[in-house]
Every structure is written in structure tokens, then in C-alpha cells.
Amino acid sequence: MNTYEAIYKRKSVRKYKQELIPEELLEDIQNYFDEIPRLVPGIRTELVIERCMNGREGAVLGKSKPPYQMKIYSEDKERYRMNAGYLMEMMSLYLTTRGLGSCYRSTSLLPKKDMDGKKYLMTMSFGYAAGSHLRTAVQFRRLDIKNLCVLRETMRPWVRELIEAARLAPSSMNSQPWRFLISNGRIHIFSRKDDAGFRGKYTEFNLGIMLAHILTAAEELWLDVDLIRLEDISQREFKRFNYVISVLLNQ
């Protein structure tokens, strides 16, 4: 299984075996993070992997007591939360390919401590699942494509592939804040303005998660795409949505 295939099989795992992960695999996990091309270049990030089999934080998920967790820290720059969401979802997909389950954890339940000038953003529990760490397509609870997209043209096959991968992305409280406008062979990405409170706090992070799915699918399909914020759209005001970015296919 590769990371693209993991998009269609990954699930949030909340029950774990209290089983050690080999040191070699933990090193591979750390190295994988270091090698991921950043969504937004120039932002310093750091991933810390911790063992919490008997730790206080391990009890947050209740009876499961996840044996490991990873925390991401980031320099505070424009789009840093989106960049962090992208990196953490790439890690989640990679963990799935290595036979491990994972689950994002609410930062409101965890101590917040910055590190070396970088802000703490998110924790992800991981380890060997007590049960399957995979699911089937019918087990996903996501909005249909028709509820996520406005079509100005017939959806092209490559667009449908990318949108389907984006549709399956996890989000805080399954909020799915993204919406898509399909026009002239381009995917314009928007976020809902009505997300507030807890859900709204993680909107940008969630968008980074979704973009990890889009770019992973594009790579699998050998599509050369760019993420560009178009000036003519960014200058417009939309009543219910905020314009985020556009996906353009290089031909």
C-alpha cells in the first residue's frame, strides 16, 4: 500500500495495543517527516515523537491509552497552520502504509508548550491498532461530491479523481469546511465562513490536511499541478465563503 491507496483506507484509530514499535520503524517515521516537501517553503517545523504508554497524556483517549504520540511545532508565519496540517496528514497516511493506526487529538485537552520559538499546534496518537487500522469506502462519513462542488463545466476525469481524494480527508469534528468551484479545468478551493469556535479554530489546519490528499492523488496520477492564489478571485468578496487557493494543471 502506498500513501495514495491509504487515502481510501485510513481511519481514525482510538483503541490501541500496548505494543512497542521497533526503533528502526520509529527512525523511519522521523526521517519521513524530515523528507516531506513543505507545502509552504521557508517555515521552520519540528516533529517530536514521544512514547506515552504510562504517561498522563496517554489517557486522553480513555481506555485506549495510545502508546505513542507525535507533536508538531511550527514557526509562526503566513499559512503556517495549513503547512502543519499538510505535514501531519502526510504522516498519518505514511503511518497507515506501515501498518499503524493514528488519530488527531484535540489540543484543548493537552498542555500547550512552545519549543525553540516554534508554536505547538497538534498532537497525533499512533501505534498498533486493537483491531483493524483500515476501513472500506462505505465506512466513510463524508459529504457527496455534489454537496461539495459548484460546477461551471462537466467535471473532467482528473478533476474528479482529485476531488474524490479531497472529499475523504479527515477534519476536526468531521466539519469538512472545504468547498470547490470547478471552472475552466481549474479547481478553486474555498472555506466556509460559518465555521466558528472550536471548528473554526482548526479550519486552516484542516485545509492543509485536505491539500495533502489532493497533492498525493496528483502525484499518483502523474499530474503536474500548481497551487496558486489567483488575484482576480482573491480580490472578490463572497458572502458565505473565503477563497483559499486554486489547483491548476500544467499542460
Side-chain angles (χ1 to χ4, degrees), residues 185-205:
R186 297 175 173 183
I187 303 172
H188 305 297
I189 300 172
F190 294 79
S191 64
R192 294 201 316 260
K193 284 185 177 181
D194 60 0
D195 274 343
F198 177 85
R199 295 202 315 182
K201 176 181 177 181
Y202 294 103
T203 293
E204 187 171 301
F205 190 93

PDB file of all heavy atoms in Angstrom, residues 185-205:
ATOM      1  N   GLY A 185     -11.281  23.974 -16.254  1.00  0.00           N
ATOM      2  CA  GLY A 185     -10.246  22.986 -15.955  1.00  0.00           C
ATOM      3  C   GLY A 185      -9.444  23.333 -14.720  1.00  0.00           C
ATOM      4  O   GLY A 185      -8.301  22.886 -14.569  1.00  0.00           O
ATOM      5  N   ARG A 186     -10.017  24.122 -13.826  1.00  0.00           N
ATOM      6  CA  ARG A 186      -9.344  24.506 -12.601  1.00  0.00           C
ATOM      7  C   ARG A 186     -10.217  24.175 -11.394  1.00  0.00           C
ATOM      8  O   ARG A 186     -11.447  24.182 -11.485  1.00  0.00           O
ATOM      9  CB  ARG A 186      -9.030  26.010 -12.595  1.00  0.00           C
ATOM     10  CG  ARG A 186      -8.064  26.427 -13.699  1.00  0.00           C
ATOM     11  CD  ARG A 186      -7.886  27.932 -13.717  1.00  0.00           C
ATOM     12  NE  ARG A 186      -6.839  28.334 -14.656  1.00  0.00           N
ATOM     13  CZ  ARG A 186      -6.437  29.581 -14.833  1.00  0.00           C
ATOM     14  NH1 ARG A 186      -6.999  30.563 -14.137  1.00  0.00           N
ATOM     15  NH2 ARG A 186      -5.484  29.863 -15.695  1.00  0.00           N
ATOM     16  N   ILE A 187      -9.572  23.905 -10.283  1.00  0.00           N
ATOM     17  CA  ILE A 187     -10.275  23.660  -9.022  1.00  0.00           C
ATOM     18  C   ILE A 187     -10.005  24.853  -8.110  1.00  0.00           C
ATOM     19  O   ILE A 187      -8.867  25.069  -7.691  1.00  0.00           O
ATOM     20  CB  ILE A 187      -9.798  22.367  -8.347  1.00  0.00           C
ATOM     21  CG1 ILE A 187      -9.957  21.165  -9.281  1.00  0.00           C
ATOM     22  CG2 ILE A 187     -10.555  22.134  -7.036  1.00  0.00           C
ATOM     23  CD1 ILE A 187      -9.329  19.883  -8.736  1.00  0.00           C
ATOM     24  N   HIS A 188     -11.036  25.624  -7.832  1.00  0.00           N
ATOM     25  CA  HIS A 188     -10.905  26.753  -6.924  1.00  0.00           C
ATOM     26  C   HIS A 188     -11.417  26.310  -5.549  1.00  0.00           C
ATOM     27  O   HIS A 188     -12.549  25.837  -5.428  1.00  0.00           O
ATOM     28  CB  HIS A 188     -11.684  27.960  -7.435  1.00  0.00           C
ATOM     29  CG  HIS A 188     -11.311  28.373  -8.823  1.00  0.00           C
ATOM     30  ND1 HIS A 188     -10.044  28.819  -9.152  1.00  0.00           N
ATOM     31  CD2 HIS A 188     -12.032  28.381  -9.992  1.00  0.00           C
ATOM     32  CE1 HIS A 188     -10.002  29.120 -10.447  1.00  0.00           C
ATOM     33  NE2 HIS A 188     -11.186  28.853 -10.976  1.00  0.00           N
ATOM     34  N   ILE A 189     -10.584  26.474  -4.543  1.00  0.00           N
ATOM     35  CA  ILE A 189     -10.893  25.963  -3.208  1.00  0.00           C
ATOM     36  C   ILE A 189     -11.340  27.108  -2.296  1.00  0.00           C
ATOM     37  O   ILE A 189     -10.684  28.149  -2.224  1.00  0.00           O
ATOM     38  CB  ILE A 189      -9.675  25.254  -2.603  1.00  0.00           C
ATOM     39  CG1 ILE A 189      -9.256  24.075  -3.493  1.00  0.00           C
ATOM     40  CG2 ILE A 189      -9.968  24.772  -1.178  1.00  0.00           C
ATOM     41  CD1 ILE A 189      -7.953  23.423  -3.079  1.00  0.00           C
ATOM     42  N   PHE A 190     -12.445  26.880  -1.605  1.00  0.00           N
ATOM     43  CA  PHE A 190     -13.000  27.849  -0.673  1.00  0.00           C
ATOM     44  C   PHE A 190     -13.206  27.191   0.688  1.00  0.00           C
ATOM     45  O   PHE A 190     -13.302  25.963   0.794  1.00  0.00           O
ATOM     46  CB  PHE A 190     -14.353  28.371  -1.179  1.00  0.00           C
ATOM     47  CG  PHE A 190     -14.276  29.180  -2.448  1.00  0.00           C
ATOM     48  CD1 PHE A 190     -14.164  28.552  -3.685  1.00  0.00           C
ATOM     49  CD2 PHE A 190     -14.317  30.559  -2.419  1.00  0.00           C
ATOM     50  CE1 PHE A 190     -14.086  29.283  -4.862  1.00  0.00           C
ATOM     51  CE2 PHE A 190     -14.247  31.309  -3.588  1.00  0.00           C
ATOM     52  CZ  PHE A 190     -14.132  30.666  -4.806  1.00  0.00           C
ATOM     53  N   SER A 191     -13.292  28.005   1.729  1.00  0.00           N
ATOM     54  CA  SER A 191     -13.660  27.506   3.053  1.00  0.00           C
ATOM     55  C   SER A 191     -14.913  28.226   3.521  1.00  0.00           C
ATOM     56  O   SER A 191     -15.139  29.398   3.178  1.00  0.00           O
ATOM     57  CB  SER A 191     -12.526  27.725   4.063  1.00  0.00           C
ATOM     58  OG  SER A 191     -12.280  29.103   4.259  1.00  0.00           O
ATOM     59  N   ARG A 192     -15.723  27.532   4.293  1.00  0.00           N
ATOM     60  CA  ARG A 192     -16.955  28.124   4.792  1.00  0.00           C
ATOM     61  C   ARG A 192     -16.674  29.222   5.815  1.00  0.00           C
ATOM     62  O   ARG A 192     -15.802  29.081   6.660  1.00  0.00           O
ATOM     63  CB  ARG A 192     -17.837  27.058   5.457  1.00  0.00           C
ATOM     64  CG  ARG A 192     -18.376  25.992   4.527  1.00  0.00           C
ATOM     65  CD  ARG A 192     -19.602  25.327   5.152  1.00  0.00           C
ATOM     66  NE  ARG A 192     -19.384  25.025   6.558  1.00  0.00           N
ATOM     67  CZ  ARG A 192     -19.052  23.825   7.031  1.00  0.00           C
ATOM     68  NH1 ARG A 192     -18.878  22.814   6.202  1.00  0.00           N
ATOM     69  NH2 ARG A 192     -18.893  23.627   8.319  1.00  0.00           N
ATOM     70  N   LYS A 193     -17.450  30.274   5.762  1.00  0.00           N
ATOM     71  CA  LYS A 193     -17.315  31.353   6.738  1.00  0.00           C
ATOM     72  C   LYS A 193     -18.062  31.053   8.031  1.00  0.00           C
ATOM     73  O   LYS A 193     -17.799  31.661   9.057  1.00  0.00           O
ATOM     74  CB  LYS A 193     -17.859  32.664   6.166  1.00  0.00           C
ATOM     75  CG  LYS A 193     -16.954  33.332   5.149  1.00  0.00           C
ATOM     76  CD  LYS A 193     -17.537  34.674   4.735  1.00  0.00           C
ATOM     77  CE  LYS A 193     -16.612  35.399   3.769  1.00  0.00           C
ATOM     78  NZ  LYS A 193     -17.143  36.713   3.355  1.00  0.00           N
ATOM     79  N   ASP A 194     -18.987  30.099   7.995  1.00  0.00           N
ATOM     80  CA  ASP A 194     -19.831  29.862   9.167  1.00  0.00           C
ATOM     81  C   ASP A 194     -19.167  28.992  10.222  1.00  0.00           C
ATOM     82  O   ASP A 194     -19.745  28.723  11.272  1.00  0.00           O
ATOM     83  CB  ASP A 194     -21.172  29.239   8.748  1.00  0.00           C
ATOM     84  CG  ASP A 194     -20.998  27.900   8.027  1.00  0.00           C
ATOM     85  OD1 ASP A 194     -19.856  27.465   7.848  1.00  0.00           O
ATOM     86  OD2 ASP A 194     -22.018  27.307   7.647  1.00  0.00           O
ATOM     87  N   ASP A 195     -17.948  28.521   9.963  1.00  0.00           N
ATOM     88  CA  ASP A 195     -17.237  27.755  10.981  1.00  0.00           C
ATOM     89  C   ASP A 195     -16.743  28.712  12.061  1.00  0.00           C
ATOM     90  O   ASP A 195     -16.012  29.656  11.788  1.00  0.00           O
ATOM     91  CB  ASP A 195     -16.050  27.003  10.368  1.00  0.00           C
ATOM     92  CG  ASP A 195     -16.470  25.659   9.813  1.00  0.00           C
ATOM     93  OD1 ASP A 195     -17.564  25.190  10.178  1.00  0.00           O
ATOM     94  OD2 ASP A 195     -15.720  25.081   9.019  1.00  0.00           O
ATOM     95  N   ALA A 196     -17.140  28.453  13.288  1.00  0.00           N
ATOM     96  CA  ALA A 196     -16.745  29.324  14.389  1.00  0.00           C
ATOM     97  C   ALA A 196     -16.364  28.474  15.591  1.00  0.00           C
ATOM     98  O   ALA A 196     -16.537  27.258  15.601  1.00  0.00           O
ATOM     99  CB  ALA A 196     -17.889  30.269  14.744  1.00  0.00           C
ATOM    100  N   GLY A 197     -15.832  29.120  16.627  1.00  0.00           N
ATOM    101  CA  GLY A 197     -15.497  28.407  17.851  1.00  0.00           C
ATOM    102  C   GLY A 197     -14.444  27.353  17.615  1.00  0.00           C
ATOM    103  O   GLY A 197     -13.462  27.564  16.906  1.00  0.00           O
ATOM    104  N   PHE A 198     -14.659  26.191  18.197  1.00  0.00           N
ATOM    105  CA  PHE A 198     -13.692  25.097  18.124  1.00  0.00           C
ATOM    106  C   PHE A 198     -13.423  24.702  16.677  1.00  0.00           C
ATOM    107  O   PHE A 198     -12.284  24.547  16.272  1.00  0.00           O
ATOM    108  CB  PHE A 198     -14.215  23.902  18.920  1.00  0.00           C
ATOM    109  CG  PHE A 198     -13.316  22.690  18.848  1.00  0.00           C
ATOM    110  CD1 PHE A 198     -12.236  22.558  19.709  1.00  0.00           C
ATOM    111  CD2 PHE A 198     -13.552  21.683  17.925  1.00  0.00           C
ATOM    112  CE1 PHE A 198     -11.405  21.448  19.648  1.00  0.00           C
ATOM    113  CE2 PHE A 198     -12.725  20.573  17.859  1.00  0.00           C
ATOM    114  CZ  PHE A 198     -11.653  20.464  18.721  1.00  0.00           C
ATOM    115  N   ARG A 199     -14.492  24.552  15.880  1.00  0.00           N
ATOM    116  CA  ARG A 199     -14.304  24.113  14.496  1.00  0.00           C
ATOM    117  C   ARG A 199     -13.535  25.149  13.689  1.00  0.00           C
ATOM    118  O   ARG A 199     -12.636  24.824  12.932  1.00  0.00           O
ATOM    119  CB  ARG A 199     -15.656  23.827  13.842  1.00  0.00           C
ATOM    120  CG  ARG A 199     -16.408  22.679  14.463  1.00  0.00           C
ATOM    121  CD  ARG A 199     -17.428  22.087  13.543  1.00  0.00           C
ATOM    122  NE  ARG A 199     -18.244  23.071  12.838  1.00  0.00           N
ATOM    123  CZ  ARG A 199     -19.227  22.737  12.008  1.00  0.00           C
ATOM    124  NH1 ARG A 199     -19.496  21.475  11.771  1.00  0.00           N
ATOM    125  NH2 ARG A 199     -19.927  23.673  11.411  1.00  0.00           N
ATOM    126  N   GLY A 200     -13.892  26.407  13.855  1.00  0.00           N
ATOM    127  CA  GLY A 200     -13.236  27.452  13.094  1.00  0.00           C
ATOM    128  C   GLY A 200     -11.772  27.604  13.431  1.00  0.00           C
ATOM    129  O   GLY A 200     -10.963  27.990  12.582  1.00  0.00           O
ATOM    130  N   LYS A 201     -11.416  27.285  14.659  1.00  0.00           N
ATOM    131  CA  LYS A 201     -10.027  27.394  15.100  1.00  0.00           C
ATOM    132  C   LYS A 201      -9.106  26.528  14.262  1.00  0.00           C
ATOM    133  O   LYS A 201      -7.942  26.864  14.043  1.00  0.00           O
ATOM    134  CB  LYS A 201      -9.945  26.984  16.573  1.00  0.00           C
ATOM    135  CG  LYS A 201      -8.543  26.962  17.150  1.00  0.00           C
ATOM    136  CD  LYS A 201      -8.576  26.517  18.601  1.00  0.00           C
ATOM    137  CE  LYS A 201      -7.170  26.423  19.188  1.00  0.00           C
ATOM    138  NZ  LYS A 201      -7.183  25.960  20.592  1.00  0.00           N
ATOM    139  N   TYR A 202      -9.626  25.405  13.760  1.00  0.00           N
ATOM    140  CA  TYR A 202      -8.794  24.451  13.033  1.00  0.00           C
ATOM    141  C   TYR A 202      -9.044  24.453  11.522  1.00  0.00           C
ATOM    142  O   TYR A 202      -8.561  23.564  10.829  1.00  0.00           O
ATOM    143  CB  TYR A 202      -9.029  23.042  13.581  1.00  0.00           C
ATOM    144  CG  TYR A 202      -8.560  22.895  15.006  1.00  0.00           C
ATOM    145  CD1 TYR A 202      -9.467  22.889  16.062  1.00  0.00           C
ATOM    146  CD2 TYR A 202      -7.203  22.800  15.311  1.00  0.00           C
ATOM    147  CE1 TYR A 202      -9.042  22.781  17.373  1.00  0.00           C
ATOM    148  CE2 TYR A 202      -6.769  22.678  16.615  1.00  0.00           C
ATOM    149  CZ  TYR A 202      -7.694  22.670  17.641  1.00  0.00           C
ATOM    150  OH  TYR A 202      -7.267  22.568  18.940  1.00  0.00           O
ATOM    151  N   THR A 203      -9.781  25.444  11.022  1.00  0.00           N
ATOM    152  CA  THR A 203     -10.110  25.454   9.595  1.00  0.00           C
ATOM    153  C   THR A 203      -8.864  25.429   8.721  1.00  0.00           C
ATOM    154  O   THR A 203      -8.766  24.628   7.777  1.00  0.00           O
ATOM    155  CB  THR A 203     -10.974  26.684   9.247  1.00  0.00           C
ATOM    156  OG1 THR A 203     -12.250  26.560   9.883  1.00  0.00           O
ATOM    157  CG2 THR A 203     -11.187  26.779   7.738  1.00  0.00           C
ATOM    158  N   GLU A 204      -7.895  26.290   8.999  1.00  0.00           N
ATOM    159  CA  GLU A 204      -6.703  26.340   8.159  1.00  0.00           C
ATOM    160  C   GLU A 204      -5.906  25.048   8.259  1.00  0.00           C
ATOM    161  O   GLU A 204      -5.383  24.550   7.259  1.00  0.00           O
ATOM    162  CB  GLU A 204      -5.826  27.529   8.536  1.00  0.00           C
ATOM    163  CG  GLU A 204      -4.654  27.732   7.581  1.00  0.00           C
ATOM    164  CD  GLU A 204      -3.904  29.027   7.818  1.00  0.00           C
ATOM    165  OE1 GLU A 204      -4.524  30.095   7.736  1.00  0.00           O
ATOM    166  OE2 GLU A 204      -2.691  28.954   8.096  1.00  0.00           O
ATOM    167  N   PHE A 205      -5.812  24.481   9.450  1.00  0.00           N
ATOM    168  CA  PHE A 205      -5.138  23.194   9.635  1.00  0.00           C
ATOM    169  C   PHE A 205      -5.858  22.113   8.829  1.00  0.00           C
ATOM    170  O   PHE A 205      -5.231  21.310   8.140  1.00  0.00           O
ATOM    171  CB  PHE A 205      -5.128  22.835  11.122  1.00  0.00           C
ATOM    172  CG  PHE A 205      -4.253  21.661  11.469  1.00  0.00           C
ATOM    173  CD1 PHE A 205      -2.936  21.846  11.863  1.00  0.00           C
ATOM    174  CD2 PHE A 205      -4.745  20.364  11.405  1.00  0.00           C
ATOM    175  CE1 PHE A 205      -2.125  20.763  12.181  1.00  0.00           C
ATOM    176  CE2 PHE A 205      -3.944  19.279  11.724  1.00  0.00           C
ATOM    177  CZ  PHE A 205      -2.627  19.472  12.115  1.00  0.00           C
TER     178      PHE A 205
END
